[in-house]
Amino acid sequence: WAERQSVNAAASLEHIAHWLEREGWIRNFDLVAEGDLAERRGREFSDSEIYKFLEALAWEIGRTGDAGLESRFRAIVDRVARAQDADGYLNTKFGHAGQEPRWSDLVWGHELYCVGHLLQAAVARARTRPDADDGLVAIARRAADNICAAFGPDGIDGLCGHPCIETALVEFGRVTGDDRYLAQAALFVERRGHGRLGDVEWGREYFQDESPVRQATVLRGHAVRANYLAAGAVDVAAETDDPVLMKAVRAQWRNAVARRTYVTGGQGSRHQDEAFGADWVLPPDRAYSETCAGVGSVMLAWRLLLASGDAGYADLIERTLYNVVSTSPATDGRRFFYANTLHRRVLGASPDVERPSIRASAAQRAPWFEVSCCPTNVARTLASLAAYVATTDDEGLQIHQYVTGTIAHGPADGPERRVTVTTAYPDAGEIRVRIDSDDDRPWTLSVRVPAWAGQGATLTAGGETRPVAPGYATERRTWRGGDEVVLNLPVAPRFTYPDGRIDAVRGCVAVERGPLVLAVESVDVPGGEDLDELRVDTSQPPTLADGRVTVRCRRLEPHDHDWPYNGSEAAPAATATADLLEVPLIAYHDWANRGPSTMRVWLPTI
Amino acid sequence: WAERQSVNAAASLEHIAHWLEREGWIRNFDLVAEGDLAERRGREFSDSEIYKFLEALAWEIGRTGDAGLESRFRAIVDRVARAQDADGYLNTKFGHAGQEPRWSDLVWGHELYCVGHLLQAAVARARTRPDADDGLVAIARRAADNICAAFGPDGIDGLCGHPCIETALVEFGRVTGDDRYLAQAALFVERRGHGRLGDVEWGREYFQDESPVRQATVLRGHAVRANYLAAGAVDVAAETDDPVLMKAVRAQWRNAVARRTYVTGGQGSRHQDEAFGADWVLPPDRAYSETCAGVGSVMLAWRLLLASGDAGYADLIERTLYNVVSTSPATDGRRFFYANTLHRRVLGASPDVERPSIRASAAQRAPWFEVSCCPTNVARTLASLAAYVATTDDEGLQIHQYVTGTIAHGPADGPERRVTVTTAYPDAGEIRVRIDSDDDRPWTLSVRVPAWAGQGATLTAGGETRPVAPGYATERRTWRGGDEVVLNLPVAPRFTYPDGRIDAVRGCVAVERGPLVLAVESVDVPGGEDLDELRVDTSQPPTLADGRVTVRCRRLEPHDHDWPYNGSEAAPAATATADLLEVPLIAYHDWANRGPSTMRVWLPTI
């Protein structure tokens, strides 16, 4: 992750700044200030990209204190500030001379959505630089007040076609201490699900407007919207102490994860409406698994983790970070996947690096998109990764994600405690946690044992090693500096079998290693691009040698015929060659970094 | 088919007329005549529905001579005539006061497409009532002349976003004997494939504009467009004696049928752009298999059959008529499937019978659609079925499709010959062909043996029975009235296995009977709607008893778990019950006629 964060800071942020200027999306703010919007460019939600970029900068500045980023941040905040109306309204697409009026298109206009991202940027800034004088929090407060005035109990009885404002208002309420924002968020959550957004081609489910949040049983519809909304509902439930709402969202999450989520953690199996499919509809080749849905899923699972302490939420965060969020950016940080397919069947051309690509149409990672939500979403997530690593409570410290680094914690009324984590995870399974400070009171160190570890994990503490089951392994002591706890996770590569109800991958296995989903990419396979002819021999486990994972395969010799459906199994199924090949696999998130290729995560068995 | 044609005539045509008036799409023609188009309703291609309805009426009048339909036909033709501009231009959406100019949106405007359907209606009328004085052929001629003037070699260097005009011009040239129409069609075919239509979200492939027709190797992009275009290209190739073009289209068809076609004959596996997927991407649960793509596939295969005499084309026509075109209309002829999924996972609500449905969103058949291309397309196809049954050449008579009826044929310079076909096909495999006229010259009777018959078909002629292989079985004689030839096709139900490269149905079988694809529908299954838990025992063939086909199944007892991907096959795959169920199947085209249900064509095996 350190490498990923460095690339994010050094390349992605610069790359995003370049494209935001080039496409004119920052300039739109200047146009509002200048009073002439004839040349406004970009879609109705382009403002949000600037805010997500500000959020990424805020986290990155918090991480490294980079002065160059700080001045870039301040410059953009100044341009945003000048575009804000006197009453706090802030949007470059609506409400000014020559434009449609404010709030005239709640279904598709994304005005509330954009403010949601503005608030999230302000929250990031307030958390990382609470005393900064840049003005972003004040801008956000005026925008939030404007929304409360417009959409409060006596205001417009409406809501946004794209959830985002809900979680943003609660979070902003937390950093400002103003309860009105929570009340407004709760109102937006309750207003959804009654058909106020009307009918669209893909049905009300697209906006989660067909069923109230507290009645729905599963995440459904547009996968980004679904996750953002659920995140907001958890925030509201947590802050208003509403166990019914919390229970509803937990059930929605559980059902979505058990039946509507790819092995990568990716969500959304439909290209048409970027939506969750029905239960068990998880085609790898038409997987949408949108990058931003992965970001939303991390946001949701994090909130549920905080609310419950259940390790399953941290498991999904880990899986999604390693296999969706990490898959989107190229190793150079300058190209991105919008959608993350699990099976690429035909070689695709590299997108033109000088032109924005059309969403999910790019076969390879693209530098920018007409709807360019993923670069900024990836950037803000990578820059804020440290926030997902650990939590504290009265009992002590809980470590959820494993990265090398130092964690400072401790009770409000006591001395700071420090622990240092050292690990080569996920390449190796050993995670060493060293206590760096003496203590005179006992506290509990909890470390997450992922579900994928099965019965294979051990914990060594005080010189004794014991097996630990999935969940949180705990050690409670009065710690001394130099004490060490070592968690060992079984990261040998393994075959993974799908539920028999997932039709699209019946008769297939995936290969995983620790939290990583692996994939076969054609550039590694002797005999070329046609991966569909490989059949895996699962009688032996995958092999790990010199850091390289391989599986044994035979290659089909397909019989071509006029009609692909026949009266006997033998004829169409073709015969396999006698020769066994050792086929190498790579981490799925690394695929498509070596030119056009085909790729498979799920491999048919012999 | 007789029953289907009766329902089509008695119910569907009336139903369509009702909705065309109700939605205002016929009235649009009156508005042009009245000079005020402010209240024009419907999409840019709504004119085409009126023309397809006229074509259906023309075929039906040809079949039965119904006087009521004849007067309805003439009334609509009169209304169309009054909307035609003096120079022949005919369209209710463009080119009049307050509208966009003619030909201003070739990509999406559908102006040429609409005229294509007008010409097809005129061709149907000219073939069935060559001497009618209704004026439709004259209207069509003026419209075709207008197009030749506008888009000729010296005219607009453009083409239509939706192919249709190509085959229509060639056919219209055949009935009028005017070669200019063929030349214009050839020009349109050659203009495609050079990017003249520009870029759209789904890529140039959507319009088949990424590669010239004579260079493409497979049908691709929007499945209706692909079939209509290829049909036109075959027409052009046949009439201009262009073996290179013909060979290209034959190869495209062959590859599309071998790798991109559902077992039903359905084509198009993508909802997003109603398009062919890549090779082997044929998910049953997200099958689009648009009704109109099936109609287009029949049109294309028919033209290739005429050009080549290869039985494989007639095989696909049979499969597509029985399993796609027949599936769309409900048994009452008043509701239609727009898309024809092969797997319905969840119960769907019945669409509102008083409101047009949104395309493929309806879970059940719907009375009408906002884009309502299928009802009229089904109606014209069912009304014209007789045209697909048989052909003649210098050698004699070829029977391609088996229906009870009388076929009159004979050489131009000889007496009429008559044969009578008697059969209960496809419920029974016996097809009796009786010669009804004496002859003094020998001629060849050819009867098609479908590929699905394998080695199981026999032909009895002159008292001798012999096995006949797929293709055309022939008998050449100097026939006498009363002579009889009996073809016996093996219509016992059978298991069908998919090519091992079709990932989405790996480990599954379908059940077929003769040309019919069968399906399991939940209303027939003890234990309710969850068909995903059934596993078929293929150790015994399907059983046929009392006209009812059954297969033996076990039911899974799925283990619910938090995460559907696990380290061992046993856990997620669940265990099957010991009890064997006899599960009944129905013809796929009959499903969804008994209320909300779930359904599967492809059944996982034990």
Side-chain angles (χ1 to χ4, degrees), chain B residues 135-222:
Chain B
L136 182 61
V137 172
I139 296 169
R141 191 190 294 268
R142 286 194 296 273
D145 290 347
N146 174 260
I147 284 174
C148 291
F151 288 89
D154 304 323
I156 302 165
D157 182 24
L159 71 168
C160 188
H162 199 313
C164 179
I165 189 69
E166 299 83 356
T167 186
L169 281 168
V170 179
E171 290 260 71
F172 195 63
R174 286 177 183 139
V175 303
T176 59
D178 189 332
D179 282 349
R180 288 178 307 138
Y181 304 137
L182 171 62
Q184 185 62 47
L187 207 50
F188 281 135
V189 168
E190 300 301 335
R191 277 181 190 159
R192 193 171 299 265
H194 304 280
R196 284 182 175 84
L197 294 169
D199 288 313
V200 291
E201 171 150 2
W202 305 307
R204 295 177 182 182
E205 206 178 78
Y206 178 79
F207 303 110
Q208 295 79 41
D209 197 29
E210 90 299 354
S211 172
V213 178
R214 53 182 74 236
Q215 288 170 24
T217 58
V218 67
L219 301 181
R220 72 284 176 210
H222 188 267

Side-chain angles (χ1 to χ4, degrees), chain A residues 76 111 155 160 173 196 200 221 379 389 435 482 485 520 541 559 579 596:
Chain A
I76 297 175
E111 290 160 278
C160 188
R196 284 182 175 83
V200 292
V389 167
I435 312 300
V485 171
V520 174
H559 304 166
D579 298 343

Side-chain angles (χ1 to χ4, degrees), chain B residues 561-581:
Chain B
H561 31 69
D562 295 338
W563 181 242
Y565 310 102
N566 277 293
S568 69
E569 199 162 7
T575 49
T577 53
D579 299 341
L580 283 165
L581 306 168

Side-chain angles (χ1 to χ4, degrees), chain A residues 304-562:
Chain A
L304 288 167
L305 175 65
L306 292 181
S308 72
D310 288 353
Y313 299 118
D315 283 358
L316 189 76
I317 290 172
E318 174 177 68
R319 186 174 289 275
T320 306
L321 287 174
Y322 276 111
N323 303 295
V324 180
V325 177
S326 292
T327 306
S328 174
T331 44
D332 70 3
R334 296 173 183 278
R335 290 166 296 120
F336 299 85
F337 275 132
Y338 189 106
N340 298 279
T341 188
L342 275 73
H343 183 180
R344 174 84 203 164
R345 292 173 179 270
V346 289
L347 299 181
S350 297
D352 186 339
V353 295
E354 292 299 319
R355 287 176 60 193
S357 283
I358 296 167
R359 287 204 222 198
S361 69
Q364 297 258 299
R365 293 179 181 89
W368 202 250
F369 303 89
E370 295 190 356
V371 176
S372 211
C373 42
C374 50
T376 50
N377 237 347
V378 168
R380 69 177 180 138
T381 305
L382 291 177
S384 64
L385 272 186
Y388 294 104
V389 167
T391 53
T392 62
D393 62 11
D394 292 344
E395 296 295 308
L397 174 70
Q398 302 87 38
I399 306 183
H400 308 291
Q401 307 298 338
Y402 299 117
V403 292
T404 292
T406 301
I407 303 167
H409 65 114
D413 61 347
E416 184 180 81
R417 300 166 181 156
R418 301 178 73 87
V419 303
T420 296
V421 178
T422 310
T423 184
Y425 185 83
D427 292 334
E430 186 184 85
I431 297 134
R432 308 185 82 87
V433 183
R434 196 188 64 224
I435 312 300
D436 290 335
S437 46
D438 294 328
D439 227 308
D440 53 6
R441 284 188 285 175
W443 56 271
T444 304
L445 173 67
S446 303
V447 291
R448 182 177 59 94
V449 180
W452 58 257
Q455 301 309 312
T458 62
L459 190 75
T460 304
E464 285 184 25
T465 297
R466 57 184 165 97
V468 283
Y472 288 95
T474 58
E475 278 290 314
R476 185 172 181 83
R477 301 177 179 224
T478 302
W479 299 95
R480 294 279 136 202
D483 284 354
E484 200 168 59
V485 171
V486 181
L487 175 66
N488 251 297
L489 298 176
V491 293
R494 63 191 189 274
F495 286 123
T496 298
Y497 297 82
D499 188 292
R501 289 166 289 188
I502 305 175
D503 288 282
V505 292
R506 179 171 291 113
C508 292
V509 293
V511 183
E512 295 186 280
R513 185 179 177 212
L516 298 176
V517 174
L518 307 187
V520 174
E521 188 175 10
S522 57
V523 290
D524 297 316
V525 179
E529 73 198 55
D530 205 345
L531 302 181
D532 297 342
E533 296 167 4
L534 296 179
R535 294 293 178 274
V536 178
D537 177 1
T538 53
S539 66
Q540 299 185 28
T543 311
L544 173 64
D546 302 330
R548 185 179 161 100
V549 177
T550 59
V551 292
R552 279 200 174 178
C553 294
R554 293 182 199 273
R555 192 179 273 286
L556 288 188
E557 287 177 355
H559 304 166
D560 274 320
H561 33 68
D562 295 338

Side-chain angles (χ1 to χ4, degrees), chain A residues 252-261 267 316, chain B residues 562-564:
Chain A
Q252 291 162 27
W253 182 91
R254 191 170 58 246
N255 288 330
V257 171
R259 300 175 169 224
R260 299 185 172 190
T261 300
Q267 296 184 331
L316 189 76
Chain B
D562 295 338
W563 181 242

Side-chain angles (χ1 to χ4, degrees), chain B residues 544-558:
Chain B
L544 174 63
D546 303 328
R548 184 178 163 100
V549 177
T550 59
V551 292
R552 279 199 176 181
C553 294
R554 292 182 200 271
R555 191 179 275 286
L556 288 189
E557 286 176 359

Side-chain angles (χ1 to χ4, degrees), chain A residues 199-203 254 257-265 269-273 278-283 285-286 288 316 319 343 345-346 355 358-359 361 494-508 512 530 532-533 535 538 556 558-569 572-574 600 602-605, chain B residues 199-203 254 257-265 269-273 278-283 285-286 288 316 319 343 345-346 355 358-359 361 494-508 512 530 532-533 535 538 556 558-569 572-574 600 602-605:
Chain A
D199 288 313
V200 292
E201 170 149 4
W202 305 307
R254 191 170 58 246
V257 171
R259 300 175 169 224
R260 299 185 172 190
T261 300
Y262 286 101
V263 68
T264 53
S269 63
R270 291 162 57 147
H271 276 242
Q272 188 180 35
D273 45 0
D279 286 352
W280 315 119
V281 183
L282 294 161
D285 49 4
R286 290 285 285 171
Y288 202 67
L316 189 76
R319 186 174 289 275
H343 183 180
R345 292 173 179 270
V346 289
R355 287 176 60 193
I358 296 167
R359 287 204 222 198
S361 69
R494 63 191 189 274
F495 286 123
T496 298
Y497 297 82
D499 188 292
R501 289 166 289 188
I502 305 175
D503 288 282
V505 292
R506 179 171 291 113
C508 292
E512 295 186 280
D530 205 345
D532 297 342
E533 296 167 4
R535 294 293 178 274
T538 53
L556 288 188
H559 304 166
D560 274 320
H561 33 68
D562 295 338
W563 181 242
Y565 310 101
N566 277 293
S568 70
E569 200 162 5
R600 286 192 79 122
W602 288 103
L603 305 170
T605 58
Chain B
D199 288 313
V200 291
E201 171 150 2
W202 305 307
R254 191 170 57 247
V257 171
R259 298 172 171 229
R260 298 185 173 190
T261 300
Y262 286 100
V263 68
T264 54
S269 62
R270 291 163 57 147
H271 275 242
Q272 188 180 36
D273 46 359
D279 287 351
W280 315 121
V281 183
L282 293 162
D285 50 3
R286 288 288 285 172
Y288 202 68
L316 189 74
R319 186 175 287 277
H343 183 179
R345 290 172 181 270
V346 287
R355 286 176 62 193
I358 296 166
R359 288 204 222 199
S361 70
R494 62 189 190 277
F495 286 123
T496 297
Y497 297 83
D499 187 291
R501 290 167 288 187
I502 306 176
D503 289 281
V505 292
R506 179 170 291 114
C508 293
E512 295 186 280
D530 204 344
D532 296 342
E533 296 167 3
R535 294 293 178 270
T538 53
L556 288 189
H559 305 168
D560 274 318
H561 31 69
D562 295 338
W563 181 242
Y565 310 102
N566 277 293
S568 69
E569 199 162 7
R600 287 191 79 122
W602 288 104
L603 305 169
T605 58

